[in-house]
Amino acid sequence: MLRLRGRVEAPKQFFVSPSDHSKSCQLCERLFNEDLYERLRSSDQGLTEAYSSSELLATELYHSVLGGCRLCAVLGNSIITAAQNETSLHGEETFIRYIPWYQGQKAPATTPVKPDSSQSNDDSHGKGAAHAYFTGAFQSHTGLEEYLEPRAGENEPDLTFQSLDCAAKILLKMTIVKGDYSTGFDLININIEAIPSEKCSKPWIFIPPYGATLWLEVISDAGWPFSQEWKTLSAAGGEWPLVVRRWLDNCQQSHQCAIHSTFRPTRLIDVGDPLHPHLIVSAAQPDDWLNSSEGGMGYVTLSYVWGAKQDYVLTQDTLQTKLAGLDTTRIPQSVMEAMEVTRRLGFRYIWVDALCIIQDSREDKLKELPMMAKIYQHSALTISAASSTSCSEGFLKPPQPALFKVQPFQITIGKGEPQFPYINLSLGFREEAPDVKDPIDSRGWTLQEWALSSCRLRFSSRGIQWTCNKLVADPSALSGEEHRDPPIQFSPEGYVQNYFGEASAIISSLPELNERLSHRYTVDETYKRKEASMMWIEIRSQYAQRSLSFPSDKLSAISAIAAIAAEENGMTYVAGLWKEALLTDLQWYYIFRSNPTAGLLTVAAGQEYENEYIAPSWSWASVRYDNGSLYPKQSRKWTTDRPWHMKILGCGVDLIDGSDFSFGPMKSGYLDIEGRILDVEWELWTENTVALNKLQLYDSPRQKSNEQLGQAFLDFPSSCLEKGLKFRCLILTKAELVYNQYNPERYPEVICARGLLLLPLHRPNTYRRIGLCYLNEGGLWEESTAESIRIV
């Protein structure tokens, strides 16, 4: 990978080698010399870097490339790529500073370029004569004509592979690096400088200091002093327990992310005896048993994908049997491997939902659901079986093959002598952050399990990774970048900027955010709540992208995050929304770009909900299809809290029988509103849209005006609609964002109001929400009348 001034990219292919293997040439031997090899070979674990350098002429590199050296080909392509990048960046001062012989040439350094009527020297950036001279575009008489070749009609000649065949001086400074988790030296960076000579033709090969650095990863089947595998921490290897234990110890001693308290889950699995794991009831154990040396200093939790229905789970009939012992022949592979990880890291107890919650007991589920937040918050570590598609698959396996930006190639170094034998090296550069999602990232329940945990050990398709509230450690990252801060940052205004979109960063920051805000906004509780509401909008948007085996779990699977947010901010939760920010929270909408894999259910006249009840229609959680994108993703940009002739009269939910957990499942809900309402007619939107749920709206009756009233996004694909349905629109707000200022082609009309698209039910003044409306300026909606209605 080539790090240039201002950007990072793979070297352009000016020359493509016909072979992927070559012996090193004389130029490479200057870099990979015997002295360097001896320093690498004789070093102990304390040495992490070794250096070498070489100075040569560009023409030497050119002929070495023609001779078949692959490394020189990569270097040559990098030099030309960097020289092209530098062309537009420097003015006269740079040339004087870095080109020794140029300092004595007064004419181009001091004489301004006079524009020629027939040939324009574009100097809009004020680079002066030096820039024109550097690129070969300078056409005026300067006294240096002997160095110039006429290039009529060309302002900026292109560099080519043949440009290397010149007397420019190339300086290469190579560093070989050993990463924190590597078994050998595994990364090479080569700083490149290039200074043209007086005899070089234009355009010049010119790269000042810090203009280019070539990064290549290196492995060798010969082993030490080089790594034998592309750097990662494999779950199939034997070294990972030591590395993970080091992460744990560091966190416990330096970060102290894990919460130590007297809380204990109702049940845990004792894995102290690998041949006899068994379930235990926490209440039956002695005081402080879990934090004793015998208890393994805390418990571990498991986050994993169930996949198909599990056969081996805790039931009312098998509780006593599992207290006596678990059948290791029936335990799913992911659970068995999690037990093994628990033991190998020095813990004795693990919590697994399928075996610690009675799966056929509604009462036990209602009791355990409110404790989910504490179960994950207070665990010493959460094992994330990220790469496993189901509980039967397992996760202790090698990582997936690497994806490369610079495809691997081979060179041979050495002299064939005992002190410096022939060694085959493979060099390449992997994707720094490939867009690869693990199966666990698409499941609904696992979001809160990850977000609420303090320390997380992720067994991903790229290898093992560590995340706690203070540190991210990824051995597969480049050397020097294995450690970084969690993806969270506070802006000067105090709100959270979450660059990587991780809900864990948002959730773990809530207490810190409140502490920061309490110092700056001692009396403004409204501001604090608004910021918390914004974070929630980001979280729910991420959550809505995930799948659930049972749509009825929509609120339960995020209930632990909601409970924490409510506790931290003193806000009232209603079916996935917040009473204190209800007007803002009501302005959600989905976009469906494809039809869901599950069968579509018809929306008919007077129908309150399809199939089973999930949530009130005014809640985003009521949408049963999981292939849509939930908007807004950031409330700061997309919503307004200024009502327009509208007042919320009341809002509430009825929980399912036997539950007092306001964040869990419910059986009904209502929203009473007084506002302006109008009848609307509709037709499918067919022009310039990828959304399968978009409608055009018109005043009703349409004969009043055939002009488009606005548009709407349904809460389901439009193919679910019965023909001839009658809709109404409840106006909520005057919009602050005028779309056509930003994208007039896509939004030709000025959208100045938002409202809820409603389907009348059979009960008087009772409606179901079916979408969100955007109304154009000047429509008849401004003449609508106020009504009091209930949305269920």
Side-chain angles (χ1 to χ4, degrees):
M1 204 59 162
L2 190 58
R3 294 179 185 264
L4 304 173
R5 203 183 310 272
R7 66 180 188 272
V8 178
E9 63 182 43
K12 297 177 182 178
Q13 296 299 298
F14 295 92
F15 178 87
V16 179
S17 177
S19 171
D20 63 355
H21 184 277
S22 68
K23 288 187 177 182
S24 61
C25 63
Q26 291 183 354
L27 301 183
C28 294
E29 289 174 359
R30 300 181 199 174
L31 290 174
F32 293 95
N33 53 57
E34 186 173 351
D35 178 64
L36 174 68
Y37 176 75
E38 180 60 27
R39 280 183 281 132
L40 296 176
R41 187 179 64 84
S42 60
S43 67
D44 55 20
Q45 296 299 318
L47 181 67
T48 58
E49 294 184 357
Y51 309 92
S52 71
S53 63
S54 178
E55 189 174 290
L56 62 148
L57 297 179
T59 187
E60 294 180 77
L61 185 67
Y62 172 79
H63 288 286
S64 183
V65 173
L66 295 180
C69 178
R70 283 300 311 275
L71 179 57
C72 286
V74 174
L75 284 170
N77 287 331
S78 300
I79 289 169
I80 303 173
T81 303
Q84 280 190 339
N85 184 65
E86 293 290 321
T87 299
S88 61
L89 298 179
H90 301 296
E92 191 165 335
E93 182 181 347
T94 306
F95 302 111
I96 295 175
R97 180 184 303 171
Y98 292 111
I99 304 177
W101 63 266
Y102 181 79
Q103 297 175 14
Q105 307 298 336
K106 299 295 185 181
T110 58
T111 305
V113 183
K114 297 181 180 180
D116 184 84
S117 57
S118 61
Q119 182 68 38
S120 173
N121 293 313
D122 186 4
D123 191 31
S124 58
H125 299 288
K127 298 185 179 70
H131 178 262
Y133 184 62
F134 165 54
T135 61
F138 190 80
Q139 299 296 319
S140 298
H141 294 284
T142 64
L144 297 178
E145 286 82 342
E146 59 180 304
Y147 302 125
L148 291 171
E149 296 178 6
R151 293 182 179 270
E154 288 187 34
N155 288 332
E156 300 267 344
D158 291 331
L159 286 163
T160 65
F161 171 66
Q162 285 71 29
S163 301
L164 282 174
D165 191 12
C166 68
K169 184 185 295 183
I170 308 295
L171 177 61
L172 305 175
K173 299 177 182 179
M174 185 175 74
T175 305
I176 302 184
V177 181
K178 179 181 178 295
D180 286 350
Y181 310 108
S182 303
T183 57
F185 290 86
D186 57 3
L187 187 69
I188 295 173
N189 73 72
I190 303 175
N191 288 312
I192 303 172
E193 297 178 26
I195 303 297
S197 77
E198 298 176 80
K199 301 299 183 181
C200 290
S201 59
K202 274 63 65 181
W204 284 341
I205 300 290
F206 175 52
I207 308 171
Y210 312 108
T213 302
L214 176 64
W215 292 78
L216 293 170
E217 295 177 87
V218 58
I219 62 173
S220 173
D221 53 11
W224 183 258
F226 300 100
S227 293
Q228 289 184 293
E229 298 178 344
W230 301 112
K231 190 176 61 169
T232 186
L233 187 60
S234 173
E239 68 276 7
W240 67 262
L242 293 175
V243 176
V244 174
R245 191 67 246 183
R246 202 168 41 176
W247 287 331
L248 269 168
D249 293 342
N250 181 50
C251 183
Q252 291 170 354
Q253 296 168 13
S254 304
H255 309 155
Q256 299 176 347
C257 295
I259 301 174
H260 297 285
S261 72
T262 58
F263 171 80
R264 303 292 177 261
T266 305
R267 305 174 191 92
L268 288 167
I269 302 171
D270 185 341
V271 299
D273 183 353
L275 301 178
H276 185 65
H278 60 282
L279 200 64
I280 65 166
V281 177
S282 298
Q285 307 305 312
D287 293 342
D288 205 33
W289 58 278
L290 196 56
N291 288 329
S292 65
S293 57
E294 183 181 351
M297 303 306 291
Y299 66 92
V300 171
T301 46
L302 174 64
S303 178
Y304 66 117
V305 178
W306 273 45
K309 183 179 178 181
Q310 292 194 47
D311 295 326
Y312 194 69
V313 297
L314 180 62
T315 63
Q316 297 177 74
D317 293 339
T318 61
L319 176 57
Q320 294 304 317
T321 302
K322 288 181 170 60
L323 287 171
L326 300 178
D327 186 349
T328 56
T329 64
R330 297 186 59 196
I331 299 175
Q333 187 67 21
S334 285
V335 179
M336 279 294 293
E337 292 181 357
M339 293 179 181
E340 178 186 347
V341 171
T342 301
R343 280 192 303 272
R344 296 182 71 175
L345 294 180
F347 295 96
R348 181 171 175 177
Y349 300 101
I350 183 172
W351 186 90
V352 181
D353 54 3
L355 295 173
C356 295
I357 299 176
I358 302 175
Q359 298 298 314
D360 62 350
S361 170
R362 186 168 179 264
E363 293 75 15
D364 197 61
K365 287 184 175 181
L366 291 177
K367 175 187 172 186
E368 294 294 318
L369 185 62
M371 292 197 296
M372 292 295 289
K374 287 187 175 180
I375 288 172
Y376 281 93
Q377 278 187 313
H378 292 263
S379 69
L381 176 70
T382 291
I383 298 169
S384 175
S387 62
S388 168
T389 58
S390 72
C391 62
S392 61
E393 181 180 324
F395 57 88
L396 295 180
K397 53 190 176 184
Q400 291 182 354
L403 302 175
F404 285 87
K405 279 282 191 181
V406 177
Q407 291 301 314
F409 61 92
Q410 286 74 44
I411 66 170
T412 301
I413 64 171
K415 296 182 177 179
E417 301 172 355
Q419 303 92 323
F420 194 13
Y422 290 124
I423 300 174
N424 293 324
L425 301 181
S426 293
L427 297 94
F429 196 91
R430 292 172 296 168
E431 295 269 10
E432 290 191 65
D435 187 17
V436 177
K437 284 192 173 183
D438 287 307
I440 205 168
D441 298 322
S442 64
R443 303 304 300 172
W445 280 96
T446 57
L447 176 67
Q448 69 175 9
E449 294 166 0
W450 177 268
L452 294 171
S453 301
S454 300
C455 302
R456 313 160 193 95
L457 184 63
R458 182 180 175 95
F459 290 82
S460 78
S461 57
R462 295 179 58 198
I464 301 176
Q465 302 156 349
W466 166 273
T467 306
C468 67
N469 293 342
K470 300 294 183 182
L471 177 72
V472 174
D474 183 0
S476 65
L478 292 179
S479 295
E481 297 182 1
E482 299 99 331
H483 296 109
R484 61 183 186 274
D485 293 331
I488 191 72
Q489 179 172 324
F490 287 94
S491 77
E493 294 79 23
Y495 65 89
V496 174
Q497 296 176 322
N498 177 29
Y499 293 111
F500 293 88
E502 286 194 6
S504 59
I506 302 174
I507 291 299
S508 64
S509 71
L510 283 174
E512 186 177 350
L513 174 64
N514 288 334
E515 183 178 349
R516 283 178 63 98
L517 292 177
S518 66
H519 293 300
R520 294 187 56 190
Y521 306 96
T522 54
V523 296
D524 194 359
E525 291 294 322
T526 301
Y527 182 86
K528 289 170 61 176
R529 289 175 173 178
K530 184 175 181 179
E531 296 302 312
S533 174
M534 286 179 56
M535 286 190 241
W536 176 254
I537 285 176
E538 294 183 37
I539 292 169
R540 78 182 188 188
S541 178
Q542 295 175 41
Y543 174 68
Q545 301 283 330
R546 297 177 173 232
S547 301
L548 292 164
S549 299
F550 306 101
S552 57
D553 288 342
K554 197 76 169 276
L555 288 171
S556 298
I558 200 174
S559 61
I561 294 180
I564 292 295
E567 181 181 357
E568 293 288 346
N569 297 283
M571 298 170 69
T572 305
Y573 187 76
V574 280
L577 286 68
W578 302 101
K579 272 191 176 181
E580 292 77 4
L582 197 54
L583 181 58
T584 295
D585 282 0
L586 286 170
Q587 297 173 58
W588 57 267
Y589 66 98
Y590 273 83
I591 291 182
F592 293 92
R593 295 176 175 84
S594 61
N595 283 313
T597 53
L600 296 175
L601 300 176
T602 301
V603 177
Q607 183 183 58
E608 185 171 339
Y609 57 88
E610 308 90 56
N611 205 357
E612 59 182 337
Y613 187 84
I614 302 175
S617 65
W618 39 268
S619 168
W620 56 269
S622 66
V623 177
R624 62 181 58 252
Y625 306 113
D626 57 19
N627 68 314
S629 298
L630 176 60
Y631 296 89
K633 294 181 181 291
Q634 294 180 344
S635 64
R636 187 176 295 275
K637 293 182 179 179
W638 291 94
T639 62
T640 175
D641 53 7
R642 297 179 183 177
W644 188 75
H645 300 294
M646 187 278 296
K647 182 167 63 173
I648 297 175
L649 305 176
C651 178
V653 298
D654 293 323
L655 303 177
I656 62 173
D657 296 337
S659 173
D660 60 356
F661 186 52
S662 59
F663 306 95
M666 59 197 59
K667 59 183 179 182
S668 66
Y670 69 92
L671 175 65
D672 292 337
I673 292 186
E674 179 183 287
R676 299 285 188 94
I677 301 180
L678 68 155
D679 297 322
V680 296
E681 296 189 13
W682 60 275
E683 62 184 37
L684 299 181
W685 190 294
T686 57
E687 297 181 2
N688 301 324
T689 183
V690 296
L692 301 182
N693 59 324
K694 192 173 181 181
L695 301 181
Q696 297 180 95
L697 300 181
Y698 299 89
D699 290 305
S700 180
R702 193 165 173 177
Q703 289 74 15
K704 282 186 180 181
S705 170
N706 200 36
E707 291 187 8
Q708 185 177 321
L709 176 69
Q711 56 189 284
F713 290 99
L714 295 170
D715 301 338
F716 40 77
S718 55
S719 54
C720 294
L721 287 176
E722 270 191 353
K723 292 183 179 180
L725 290 178
K726 301 295 183 181
F727 299 150
R728 305 194 78 193
C729 177
L730 167 70
I731 301 167
L732 294 178
T733 64
K734 281 264 193 172
E736 293 178 343
L737 178 63
V738 181
Y739 282 23
N740 73 340
Q741 292 179 359
Y742 299 94
N743 197 337
E745 294 80 12
R746 186 172 179 184
Y747 299 104
E749 302 294 337
V750 176
I751 301 172
C752 63
R754 291 187 180 87
L756 300 182
L757 190 64
L758 304 175
L759 175 68
L761 302 182
H762 296 308
R763 286 170 282 171
N765 298 322
T766 305
Y767 297 85
R768 166 190 174 180
R769 174 195 151 129
I770 61 168
L772 187 72
C773 307
Y774 292 87
L775 304 181
N776 300 334
E777 183 181 29
L780 297 178
W781 57 271
E782 299 192 53
E783 304 171 9
S784 56
T785 57
E787 298 182 27
S788 294
I789 64 169
R790 168 165 287 193
I791 307 174
V792 296

